Amino acid sequence: MTEEINKCIEVLEKGGLILYPTDTVWGIGCDATNEEAVKKVYTLKERDDSKALICLVGNDAMLEKHIEKVPELAYDIIDLATKPTTIIYDRPRGIAKNLVASDNTLAIRVATDKFCQYLIGKFKKPIVSTSANISGNPTPKSFQNIDDAILKGVDYVVNLHREKQNSSSSSIIRLSNDNSVKIIRE
């Protein structure tokens, strides 16, 4: 696993794209602080950049570094969630501008997968995590279902967990600083 992490970091540091297994589905990733790298993700997915992407952090400390004020309720949701849960937060900071939604929010998930935690921990920055599909096409449930255009469009494909069938995408919850909660995707 160490060799895979090192190869990913080499690509991420150069503004490249990786294809990697996450705690949900296979994801296209890049340095979430690099606008040019984020632009490459939108281009590869053929996705309008007005549609926000999810970003992974390795722990609560990294979450707090990139969100102006994390509502207390977020920690309960993260701790009590029975499946990977992405939370949309108000007022992100230190993130590529083209990753932030027009209403100044950002969808972040604290990674629970060991590979992702180690990768993000060693990279020391959040990583974009968006499903490995062309926009509008179904999310691939396994590595074998990933479109050739995606495989050829990234700079590095992680050589781990390729046989694993993925469960489903994460739950998405919108959590405002006024503590209002809205479930976007169960």
Side-chain angles (χ1 to χ4, degrees), residues 34-70:
N34 180 330
E35 269 187 67
E36 287 303 310
V38 171
K39 199 180 294 181
K40 290 178 190 176
V41 174
Y42 283 117
T43 301
L44 178 60
K45 283 185 66 84
E46 300 174 18
R47 184 173 173 151
D48 183 1
D49 68 5
S50 66
K51 291 186 175 183
L53 301 171
I54 291 172
C55 150
L56 293 182
V57 295
N59 53 42
D60 290 351
M62 189 177 284
L63 172 65
E64 291 160 6
K65 180 180 177 184
H66 292 284
I67 296 298
E68 197 172 287
K69 182 183 182 297
V70 177

PDB file of all heavy atoms in Angstrom, residues 34-70:
ATOM      1  N   ASN A  34      -5.860  22.818  -5.757  1.00  0.00           N
ATOM      2  CA  ASN A  34      -5.256  23.186  -7.042  1.00  0.00           C
ATOM      3  C   ASN A  34      -6.345  23.393  -8.102  1.00  0.00           C
ATOM      4  O   ASN A  34      -6.943  22.433  -8.582  1.00  0.00           O
ATOM      5  CB  ASN A  34      -4.285  22.066  -7.457  1.00  0.00           C
ATOM      6  CG  ASN A  34      -3.593  22.327  -8.770  1.00  0.00           C
ATOM      7  OD1 ASN A  34      -4.112  22.972  -9.669  1.00  0.00           O
ATOM      8  ND2 ASN A  34      -2.388  21.783  -8.881  1.00  0.00           N
ATOM      9  N   GLU A  35      -6.587  24.660  -8.469  1.00  0.00           N
ATOM     10  CA  GLU A  35      -7.661  24.979  -9.422  1.00  0.00           C
ATOM     11  C   GLU A  35      -7.485  24.301 -10.770  1.00  0.00           C
ATOM     12  O   GLU A  35      -8.458  23.851 -11.376  1.00  0.00           O
ATOM     13  CB  GLU A  35      -7.750  26.495  -9.635  1.00  0.00           C
ATOM     14  CG  GLU A  35      -8.717  27.147  -8.680  1.00  0.00           C
ATOM     15  CD  GLU A  35      -8.940  28.619  -8.997  1.00  0.00           C
ATOM     16  OE1 GLU A  35      -9.525  28.926 -10.061  1.00  0.00           O
ATOM     17  OE2 GLU A  35      -8.535  29.443  -8.155  1.00  0.00           O
ATOM     18  N   GLU A  36      -6.255  24.251 -11.272  1.00  0.00           N
ATOM     19  CA  GLU A  36      -5.997  23.627 -12.573  1.00  0.00           C
ATOM     20  C   GLU A  36      -6.324  22.133 -12.527  1.00  0.00           C
ATOM     21  O   GLU A  36      -6.889  21.584 -13.471  1.00  0.00           O
ATOM     22  CB  GLU A  36      -4.548  23.856 -13.026  1.00  0.00           C
ATOM     23  CG  GLU A  36      -4.273  25.285 -13.469  1.00  0.00           C
ATOM     24  CD  GLU A  36      -5.195  25.749 -14.599  1.00  0.00           C
ATOM     25  OE1 GLU A  36      -5.327  25.025 -15.607  1.00  0.00           O
ATOM     26  OE2 GLU A  36      -5.783  26.846 -14.470  1.00  0.00           O
ATOM     27  N   ALA A  37      -5.946  21.474 -11.436  1.00  0.00           N
ATOM     28  CA  ALA A  37      -6.240  20.043 -11.285  1.00  0.00           C
ATOM     29  C   ALA A  37      -7.741  19.813 -11.232  1.00  0.00           C
ATOM     30  O   ALA A  37      -8.267  18.891 -11.872  1.00  0.00           O
ATOM     31  CB  ALA A  37      -5.556  19.501 -10.029  1.00  0.00           C
ATOM     32  N   VAL A  38      -8.459  20.654 -10.487  1.00  0.00           N
ATOM     33  CA  VAL A  38      -9.919  20.528 -10.379  1.00  0.00           C
ATOM     34  C   VAL A  38     -10.554  20.717 -11.767  1.00  0.00           C
ATOM     35  O   VAL A  38     -11.466  19.984 -12.147  1.00  0.00           O
ATOM     36  CB  VAL A  38     -10.489  21.530  -9.344  1.00  0.00           C
ATOM     37  CG1 VAL A  38     -12.015  21.549  -9.385  1.00  0.00           C
ATOM     38  CG2 VAL A  38      -9.994  21.192  -7.938  1.00  0.00           C
ATOM     39  N   LYS A  39     -10.035  21.662 -12.540  1.00  0.00           N
ATOM     40  CA  LYS A  39     -10.530  21.914 -13.892  1.00  0.00           C
ATOM     41  C   LYS A  39     -10.385  20.647 -14.757  1.00  0.00           C
ATOM     42  O   LYS A  39     -11.270  20.312 -15.541  1.00  0.00           O
ATOM     43  CB  LYS A  39      -9.738  23.072 -14.518  1.00  0.00           C
ATOM     44  CG  LYS A  39     -10.428  23.719 -15.702  1.00  0.00           C
ATOM     45  CD  LYS A  39      -9.600  24.858 -16.289  1.00  0.00           C
ATOM     46  CE  LYS A  39      -9.476  26.008 -15.316  1.00  0.00           C
ATOM     47  NZ  LYS A  39      -8.700  27.139 -15.876  1.00  0.00           N
ATOM     48  N   LYS A  40      -9.279  19.928 -14.585  1.00  0.00           N
ATOM     49  CA  LYS A  40      -9.052  18.680 -15.336  1.00  0.00           C
ATOM     50  C   LYS A  40     -10.123  17.635 -15.013  1.00  0.00           C
ATOM     51  O   LYS A  40     -10.546  16.880 -15.880  1.00  0.00           O
ATOM     52  CB  LYS A  40      -7.673  18.097 -15.013  1.00  0.00           C
ATOM     53  CG  LYS A  40      -6.511  18.881 -15.558  1.00  0.00           C
ATOM     54  CD  LYS A  40      -5.208  18.207 -15.120  1.00  0.00           C
ATOM     55  CE  LYS A  40      -3.992  19.039 -15.414  1.00  0.00           C
ATOM     56  NZ  LYS A  40      -2.769  18.411 -14.886  1.00  0.00           N
ATOM     57  N   VAL A  41     -10.556  17.591 -13.749  1.00  0.00           N
ATOM     58  CA  VAL A  41     -11.593  16.634 -13.342  1.00  0.00           C
ATOM     59  C   VAL A  41     -12.899  16.963 -14.064  1.00  0.00           C
ATOM     60  O   VAL A  41     -13.556  16.081 -14.624  1.00  0.00           O
ATOM     61  CB  VAL A  41     -11.805  16.620 -11.804  1.00  0.00           C
ATOM     62  CG1 VAL A  41     -12.991  15.733 -11.438  1.00  0.00           C
ATOM     63  CG2 VAL A  41     -10.549  16.144 -11.088  1.00  0.00           C
ATOM     64  N   TYR A  42     -13.293  18.244 -14.049  1.00  0.00           N
ATOM     65  CA  TYR A  42     -14.526  18.646 -14.735  1.00  0.00           C
ATOM     66  C   TYR A  42     -14.456  18.299 -16.228  1.00  0.00           C
ATOM     67  O   TYR A  42     -15.425  17.806 -16.810  1.00  0.00           O
ATOM     68  CB  TYR A  42     -14.778  20.151 -14.572  1.00  0.00           C
ATOM     69  CG  TYR A  42     -15.324  20.539 -13.222  1.00  0.00           C
ATOM     70  CD1 TYR A  42     -14.608  21.381 -12.361  1.00  0.00           C
ATOM     71  CD2 TYR A  42     -16.580  20.093 -12.795  1.00  0.00           C
ATOM     72  CE1 TYR A  42     -15.123  21.753 -11.132  1.00  0.00           C
ATOM     73  CE2 TYR A  42     -17.098  20.456 -11.569  1.00  0.00           C
ATOM     74  CZ  TYR A  42     -16.366  21.295 -10.738  1.00  0.00           C
ATOM     75  OH  TYR A  42     -16.873  21.651  -9.526  1.00  0.00           O
ATOM     76  N   THR A  43     -13.298  18.545 -16.835  1.00  0.00           N
ATOM     77  CA  THR A  43     -13.122  18.260 -18.263  1.00  0.00           C
ATOM     78  C   THR A  43     -13.242  16.760 -18.524  1.00  0.00           C
ATOM     79  O   THR A  43     -13.955  16.339 -19.440  1.00  0.00           O
ATOM     80  CB  THR A  43     -11.757  18.786 -18.750  1.00  0.00           C
ATOM     81  OG1 THR A  43     -11.708  20.198 -18.499  1.00  0.00           O
ATOM     82  CG2 THR A  43     -11.549  18.520 -20.219  1.00  0.00           C
ATOM     83  N   LEU A  44     -12.551  15.949 -17.726  1.00  0.00           N
ATOM     84  CA  LEU A  44     -12.591  14.492 -17.904  1.00  0.00           C
ATOM     85  C   LEU A  44     -14.003  13.946 -17.745  1.00  0.00           C
ATOM     86  O   LEU A  44     -14.443  13.100 -18.512  1.00  0.00           O
ATOM     87  CB  LEU A  44     -11.633  13.809 -16.914  1.00  0.00           C
ATOM     88  CG  LEU A  44     -11.614  12.277 -16.945  1.00  0.00           C
ATOM     89  CD1 LEU A  44     -11.201  11.755 -18.327  1.00  0.00           C
ATOM     90  CD2 LEU A  44     -10.668  11.741 -15.877  1.00  0.00           C
ATOM     91  N   LYS A  45     -14.726  14.432 -16.751  1.00  0.00           N
ATOM     92  CA  LYS A  45     -16.088  13.945 -16.503  1.00  0.00           C
ATOM     93  C   LYS A  45     -17.116  14.556 -17.463  1.00  0.00           C
ATOM     94  O   LYS A  45     -18.273  14.173 -17.442  1.00  0.00           O
ATOM     95  CB  LYS A  45     -16.508  14.251 -15.061  1.00  0.00           C
ATOM     96  CG  LYS A  45     -15.885  13.310 -14.062  1.00  0.00           C
ATOM     97  CD  LYS A  45     -16.415  13.547 -12.655  1.00  0.00           C
ATOM     98  CE  LYS A  45     -17.852  13.232 -12.455  1.00  0.00           C
ATOM     99  NZ  LYS A  45     -18.211  11.846 -12.183  1.00  0.00           N
ATOM    100  N   GLU A  46     -16.661  15.545 -18.256  1.00  0.00           N
ATOM    101  CA  GLU A  46     -17.574  16.292 -19.132  1.00  0.00           C
ATOM    102  C   GLU A  46     -18.712  16.870 -18.296  1.00  0.00           C
ATOM    103  O   GLU A  46     -19.888  16.796 -18.644  1.00  0.00           O
ATOM    104  CB  GLU A  46     -18.113  15.401 -20.263  1.00  0.00           C
ATOM    105  CG  GLU A  46     -17.025  14.839 -21.154  1.00  0.00           C
ATOM    106  CD  GLU A  46     -17.526  13.843 -22.187  1.00  0.00           C
ATOM    107  OE1 GLU A  46     -18.741  13.802 -22.467  1.00  0.00           O
ATOM    108  OE2 GLU A  46     -16.681  13.086 -22.719  1.00  0.00           O
ATOM    109  N   ARG A  47     -18.319  17.458 -17.182  1.00  0.00           N
ATOM    110  CA  ARG A  47     -19.282  17.963 -16.209  1.00  0.00           C
ATOM    111  C   ARG A  47     -19.191  19.481 -16.125  1.00  0.00           C
ATOM    112  O   ARG A  47     -18.104  20.051 -16.093  1.00  0.00           O
ATOM    113  CB  ARG A  47     -18.959  17.344 -14.842  1.00  0.00           C
ATOM    114  CG  ARG A  47     -19.927  17.700 -13.752  1.00  0.00           C
ATOM    115  CD  ARG A  47     -19.618  16.902 -12.521  1.00  0.00           C
ATOM    116  NE  ARG A  47     -20.432  17.343 -11.404  1.00  0.00           N
ATOM    117  CZ  ARG A  47     -20.796  16.565 -10.413  1.00  0.00           C
ATOM    118  NH1 ARG A  47     -20.412  15.302 -10.392  1.00  0.00           N
ATOM    119  NH2 ARG A  47     -21.515  17.017  -9.427  1.00  0.00           N
ATOM    120  N   ASP A  48     -20.316  20.123 -16.040  1.00  0.00           N
ATOM    121  CA  ASP A  48     -20.384  21.567 -15.886  1.00  0.00           C
ATOM    122  C   ASP A  48     -19.769  21.933 -14.535  1.00  0.00           C
ATOM    123  O   ASP A  48     -20.115  21.337 -13.511  1.00  0.00           O
ATOM    124  CB  ASP A  48     -21.869  21.980 -15.944  1.00  0.00           C
ATOM    125  CG  ASP A  48     -22.068  23.473 -15.865  1.00  0.00           C
ATOM    126  OD1 ASP A  48     -21.073  24.214 -15.774  1.00  0.00           O
ATOM    127  OD2 ASP A  48     -23.240  23.902 -15.891  1.00  0.00           O
ATOM    128  N   ASP A  49     -18.882  22.910 -14.533  1.00  0.00           N
ATOM    129  CA  ASP A  49     -18.207  23.233 -13.266  1.00  0.00           C
ATOM    130  C   ASP A  49     -19.093  23.971 -12.267  1.00  0.00           C
ATOM    131  O   ASP A  49     -18.663  24.321 -11.178  1.00  0.00           O
ATOM    132  CB  ASP A  49     -16.881  23.965 -13.493  1.00  0.00           C
ATOM    133  CG  ASP A  49     -17.050  25.358 -14.052  1.00  0.00           C
ATOM    134  OD1 ASP A  49     -18.199  25.823 -14.198  1.00  0.00           O
ATOM    135  OD2 ASP A  49     -16.018  25.979 -14.352  1.00  0.00           O
ATOM    136  N   SER A  50     -20.375  24.182 -12.631  1.00  0.00           N
ATOM    137  CA  SER A  50     -21.299  24.752 -11.646  1.00  0.00           C
ATOM    138  C   SER A  50     -21.827  23.654 -10.719  1.00  0.00           C
ATOM    139  O   SER A  50     -22.409  23.925  -9.676  1.00  0.00           O
ATOM    140  CB  SER A  50     -22.465  25.458 -12.332  1.00  0.00           C
ATOM    141  OG  SER A  50     -23.254  24.515 -13.024  1.00  0.00           O
ATOM    142  N   LYS A  51     -21.620  22.382 -11.121  1.00  0.00           N
ATOM    143  CA  LYS A  51     -22.018  21.255 -10.267  1.00  0.00           C
ATOM    144  C   LYS A  51     -20.830  20.914  -9.374  1.00  0.00           C
ATOM    145  O   LYS A  51     -19.785  20.483  -9.849  1.00  0.00           O
ATOM    146  CB  LYS A  51     -22.399  20.041 -11.115  1.00  0.00           C
ATOM    147  CG  LYS A  51     -23.678  20.228 -11.889  1.00  0.00           C
ATOM    148  CD  LYS A  51     -24.059  18.948 -12.580  1.00  0.00           C
ATOM    149  CE  LYS A  51     -25.413  19.100 -13.248  1.00  0.00           C
ATOM    150  NZ  LYS A  51     -25.849  17.859 -13.858  1.00  0.00           N
ATOM    151  N   ALA A  52     -20.996  21.102  -8.095  1.00  0.00           N
ATOM    152  CA  ALA A  52     -19.896  20.937  -7.147  1.00  0.00           C
ATOM    153  C   ALA A  52     -19.434  19.471  -7.048  1.00  0.00           C
ATOM    154  O   ALA A  52     -20.183  18.551  -7.374  1.00  0.00           O
ATOM    155  CB  ALA A  52     -20.323  21.448  -5.775  1.00  0.00           C
ATOM    156  N   LEU A  53     -18.207  19.296  -6.602  1.00  0.00           N
ATOM    157  CA  LEU A  53     -17.623  17.974  -6.387  1.00  0.00           C
ATOM    158  C   LEU A  53     -17.429  17.757  -4.888  1.00  0.00           C
ATOM    159  O   LEU A  53     -17.361  18.705  -4.121  1.00  0.00           O
ATOM    160  CB  LEU A  53     -16.253  17.883  -7.078  1.00  0.00           C
ATOM    161  CG  LEU A  53     -16.223  18.112  -8.591  1.00  0.00           C
ATOM    162  CD1 LEU A  53     -14.788  18.199  -9.070  1.00  0.00           C
ATOM    163  CD2 LEU A  53     -16.962  17.008  -9.312  1.00  0.00           C
ATOM    164  N   ILE A  54     -17.308  16.495  -4.502  1.00  0.00           N
ATOM    165  CA  ILE A  54     -17.041  16.138  -3.101  1.00  0.00           C
ATOM    166  C   ILE A  54     -15.537  16.133  -2.875  1.00  0.00           C
ATOM    167  O   ILE A  54     -14.756  15.867  -3.776  1.00  0.00           O
ATOM    168  CB  ILE A  54     -17.645  14.746  -2.792  1.00  0.00           C
ATOM    169  CG1 ILE A  54     -19.175  14.821  -2.809  1.00  0.00           C
ATOM    170  CG2 ILE A  54     -17.152  14.215  -1.441  1.00  0.00           C
ATOM    171  CD1 ILE A  54     -19.857  13.469  -2.704  1.00  0.00           C
ATOM    172  N   CYS A  55     -15.163  16.407  -1.647  1.00  0.00           N
ATOM    173  CA  CYS A  55     -13.756  16.407  -1.298  1.00  0.00           C
ATOM    174  C   CYS A  55     -13.603  15.554  -0.026  1.00  0.00           C
ATOM    175  O   CYS A  55     -14.497  15.528   0.822  1.00  0.00           O
ATOM    176  CB  CYS A  55     -13.447  17.866  -1.158  1.00  0.00           C
ATOM    177  SG  CYS A  55     -12.297  18.513  -0.135  1.00  0.00           S
ATOM    178  N   LEU A  56     -12.516  14.805   0.046  1.00  0.00           N
ATOM    179  CA  LEU A  56     -12.237  13.959   1.210  1.00  0.00           C
ATOM    180  C   LEU A  56     -11.159  14.587   2.080  1.00  0.00           C
ATOM    181  O   LEU A  56     -10.178  15.114   1.565  1.00  0.00           O
ATOM    182  CB  LEU A  56     -11.743  12.573   0.777  1.00  0.00           C
ATOM    183  CG  LEU A  56     -12.691  11.637   0.054  1.00  0.00           C
ATOM    184  CD1 LEU A  56     -11.995  10.309  -0.243  1.00  0.00           C
ATOM    185  CD2 LEU A  56     -13.950  11.389   0.861  1.00  0.00           C
ATOM    186  N   VAL A  57     -11.352  14.508   3.382  1.00  0.00           N
ATOM    187  CA  VAL A  57     -10.327  14.890   4.345  1.00  0.00           C
ATOM    188  C   VAL A  57     -10.008  13.661   5.181  1.00  0.00           C
ATOM    189  O   VAL A  57     -10.809  12.725   5.255  1.00  0.00           O
ATOM    190  CB  VAL A  57     -10.760  16.077   5.244  1.00  0.00           C
ATOM    191  CG1 VAL A  57     -10.951  17.348   4.418  1.00  0.00           C
ATOM    192  CG2 VAL A  57     -12.026  15.764   6.034  1.00  0.00           C
ATOM    193  N   GLY A  58      -8.851  13.661   5.822  1.00  0.00           N
ATOM    194  CA  GLY A  58      -8.410  12.490   6.563  1.00  0.00           C
ATOM    195  C   GLY A  58      -8.892  12.421   7.996  1.00  0.00           C
ATOM    196  O   GLY A  58      -8.926  11.359   8.601  1.00  0.00           O
ATOM    197  N   ASN A  59      -9.272  13.585   8.558  1.00  0.00           N
ATOM    198  CA  ASN A  59      -9.647  13.617   9.974  1.00  0.00           C
ATOM    199  C   ASN A  59     -10.367  14.932  10.308  1.00  0.00           C
ATOM    200  O   ASN A  59     -10.463  15.820   9.457  1.00  0.00           O
ATOM    201  CB  ASN A  59      -8.399  13.436  10.853  1.00  0.00           C
ATOM    202  CG  ASN A  59      -7.305  14.430  10.482  1.00  0.00           C
ATOM    203  OD1 ASN A  59      -7.568  15.601  10.228  1.00  0.00           O
ATOM    204  ND2 ASN A  59      -6.075  13.948  10.422  1.00  0.00           N
ATOM    205  N   ASP A  60     -10.832  15.045  11.554  1.00  0.00           N
ATOM    206  CA  ASP A  60     -11.552  16.242  11.995  1.00  0.00           C
ATOM    207  C   ASP A  60     -10.679  17.491  11.923  1.00  0.00           C
ATOM    208  O   ASP A  60     -11.165  18.575  11.600  1.00  0.00           O
ATOM    209  CB  ASP A  60     -12.072  16.063  13.428  1.00  0.00           C
ATOM    210  CG  ASP A  60     -13.202  15.042  13.526  1.00  0.00           C
ATOM    211  OD1 ASP A  60     -13.706  14.601  12.471  1.00  0.00           O
ATOM    212  OD2 ASP A  60     -13.573  14.676  14.665  1.00  0.00           O
ATOM    213  N   ALA A  61      -9.399  17.366  12.236  1.00  0.00           N
ATOM    214  CA  ALA A  61      -8.504  18.529  12.224  1.00  0.00           C
ATOM    215  C   ALA A  61      -8.413  19.130  10.813  1.00  0.00           C
ATOM    216  O   ALA A  61      -8.443  20.354  10.651  1.00  0.00           O
ATOM    217  CB  ALA A  61      -7.117  18.140  12.732  1.00  0.00           C
ATOM    218  N   MET A  62      -8.323  18.273   9.804  1.00  0.00           N
ATOM    219  CA  MET A  62      -8.258  18.768   8.425  1.00  0.00           C
ATOM    220  C   MET A  62      -9.596  19.383   8.028  1.00  0.00           C
ATOM    221  O   MET A  62      -9.635  20.395   7.322  1.00  0.00           O
ATOM    222  CB  MET A  62      -7.871  17.646   7.464  1.00  0.00           C
ATOM    223  CG  MET A  62      -7.576  18.148   6.055  1.00  0.00           C
ATOM    224  SD  MET A  62      -7.035  16.842   4.904  1.00  0.00           S
ATOM    225  CE  MET A  62      -5.356  16.595   5.439  1.00  0.00           C
ATOM    226  N   LEU A  63     -10.691  18.816   8.496  1.00  0.00           N
ATOM    227  CA  LEU A  63     -12.015  19.381   8.248  1.00  0.00           C
ATOM    228  C   LEU A  63     -12.067  20.802   8.816  1.00  0.00           C
ATOM    229  O   LEU A  63     -12.463  21.747   8.140  1.00  0.00           O
ATOM    230  CB  LEU A  63     -13.094  18.495   8.898  1.00  0.00           C
ATOM    231  CG  LEU A  63     -14.519  19.044   8.901  1.00  0.00           C
ATOM    232  CD1 LEU A  63     -15.059  19.168   7.486  1.00  0.00           C
ATOM    233  CD2 LEU A  63     -15.425  18.138   9.732  1.00  0.00           C
ATOM    234  N   GLU A  64     -11.638  20.950  10.061  1.00  0.00           N
ATOM    235  CA  GLU A  64     -11.680  22.258  10.739  1.00  0.00           C
ATOM    236  C   GLU A  64     -10.775  23.281  10.067  1.00  0.00           C
ATOM    237  O   GLU A  64     -11.067  24.475  10.073  1.00  0.00           O
ATOM    238  CB  GLU A  64     -11.299  22.084  12.207  1.00  0.00           C
ATOM    239  CG  GLU A  64     -12.364  21.328  12.977  1.00  0.00           C
ATOM    240  CD  GLU A  64     -11.875  20.699  14.277  1.00  0.00           C
ATOM    241  OE1 GLU A  64     -10.701  20.933  14.667  1.00  0.00           O
ATOM    242  OE2 GLU A  64     -12.674  19.978  14.906  1.00  0.00           O
ATOM    243  N   LYS A  65      -9.704  22.834   9.460  1.00  0.00           N
ATOM    244  CA  LYS A  65      -8.783  23.737   8.765  1.00  0.00           C
ATOM    245  C   LYS A  65      -9.431  24.330   7.514  1.00  0.00           C
ATOM    246  O   LYS A  65      -9.120  25.441   7.107  1.00  0.00           O
ATOM    247  CB  LYS A  65      -7.508  22.970   8.392  1.00  0.00           C
ATOM    248  CG  LYS A  65      -6.481  23.800   7.666  1.00  0.00           C
ATOM    249  CD  LYS A  65      -5.246  22.992   7.331  1.00  0.00           C
ATOM    250  CE  LYS A  65      -4.279  23.846   6.530  1.00  0.00           C
ATOM    251  NZ  LYS A  65      -3.116  23.101   6.090  1.00  0.00           N
ATOM    252  N   HIS A  66     -10.354  23.573   6.890  1.00  0.00           N
ATOM    253  CA  HIS A  66     -10.907  23.998   5.612  1.00  0.00           C
ATOM    254  C   HIS A  66     -12.360  24.467   5.656  1.00  0.00           C
ATOM    255  O   HIS A  66     -12.931  24.796   4.614  1.00  0.00           O
ATOM    256  CB  HIS A  66     -10.724  22.884   4.572  1.00  0.00           C
ATOM    257  CG  HIS A  66      -9.277  22.692   4.233  1.00  0.00           C
ATOM    258  ND1 HIS A  66      -8.586  23.555   3.430  1.00  0.00           N
ATOM    259  CD2 HIS A  66      -8.382  21.763   4.636  1.00  0.00           C
ATOM    260  CE1 HIS A  66      -7.328  23.165   3.338  1.00  0.00           C
ATOM    261  NE2 HIS A  66      -7.186  22.077   4.066  1.00  0.00           N
ATOM    262  N   ILE A  67     -12.947  24.490   6.843  1.00  0.00           N
ATOM    263  CA  ILE A  67     -14.306  25.027   7.017  1.00  0.00           C
ATOM    264  C   ILE A  67     -14.227  26.092   8.101  1.00  0.00           C
ATOM    265  O   ILE A  67     -13.690  25.847   9.186  1.00  0.00           O
ATOM    266  CB  ILE A  67     -15.302  23.906   7.433  1.00  0.00           C
ATOM    267  CG1 ILE A  67     -15.440  22.863   6.321  1.00  0.00           C
ATOM    268  CG2 ILE A  67     -16.666  24.496   7.808  1.00  0.00           C
ATOM    269  CD1 ILE A  67     -15.986  23.385   4.995  1.00  0.00           C
ATOM    270  N   GLU A  68     -14.772  27.272   7.793  1.00  0.00           N
ATOM    271  CA  GLU A  68     -14.674  28.393   8.730  1.00  0.00           C
ATOM    272  C   GLU A  68     -15.193  28.035  10.125  1.00  0.00           C
ATOM    273  O   GLU A  68     -14.564  28.325  11.125  1.00  0.00           O
ATOM    274  CB  GLU A  68     -15.441  29.586   8.160  1.00  0.00           C
ATOM    275  CG  GLU A  68     -15.100  30.895   8.808  1.00  0.00           C
ATOM    276  CD  GLU A  68     -15.748  32.052   8.084  1.00  0.00           C
ATOM    277  OE1 GLU A  68     -15.285  32.390   6.972  1.00  0.00           O
ATOM    278  OE2 GLU A  68     -16.733  32.599   8.630  1.00  0.00           O
ATOM    279  N   LYS A  69     -16.392  27.424  10.174  1.00  0.00           N
ATOM    280  CA  LYS A  69     -16.956  27.032  11.465  1.00  0.00           C
ATOM    281  C   LYS A  69     -17.726  25.723  11.276  1.00  0.00           C
ATOM    282  O   LYS A  69     -18.776  25.708  10.630  1.00  0.00           O
ATOM    283  CB  LYS A  69     -17.892  28.116  11.993  1.00  0.00           C
ATOM    284  CG  LYS A  69     -18.477  27.799  13.351  1.00  0.00           C
ATOM    285  CD  LYS A  69     -19.456  28.879  13.801  1.00  0.00           C
ATOM    286  CE  LYS A  69     -20.028  28.611  15.164  1.00  0.00           C
ATOM    287  NZ  LYS A  69     -20.832  27.398  15.244  1.00  0.00           N
ATOM    288  N   VAL A  70     -17.193  24.637  11.843  1.00  0.00           N
ATOM    289  CA  VAL A  70     -17.866  23.344  11.741  1.00  0.00           C
ATOM    290  C   VAL A  70     -18.942  23.286  12.833  1.00  0.00           C
ATOM    291  O   VAL A  70     -18.628  23.383  14.014  1.00  0.00           O
ATOM    292  CB  VAL A  70     -16.858  22.174  11.922  1.00  0.00           C
ATOM    293  CG1 VAL A  70     -17.580  20.832  11.876  1.00  0.00           C
ATOM    294  CG2 VAL A  70     -15.762  22.237  10.862  1.00  0.00           C
TER     295      VAL A  70
END
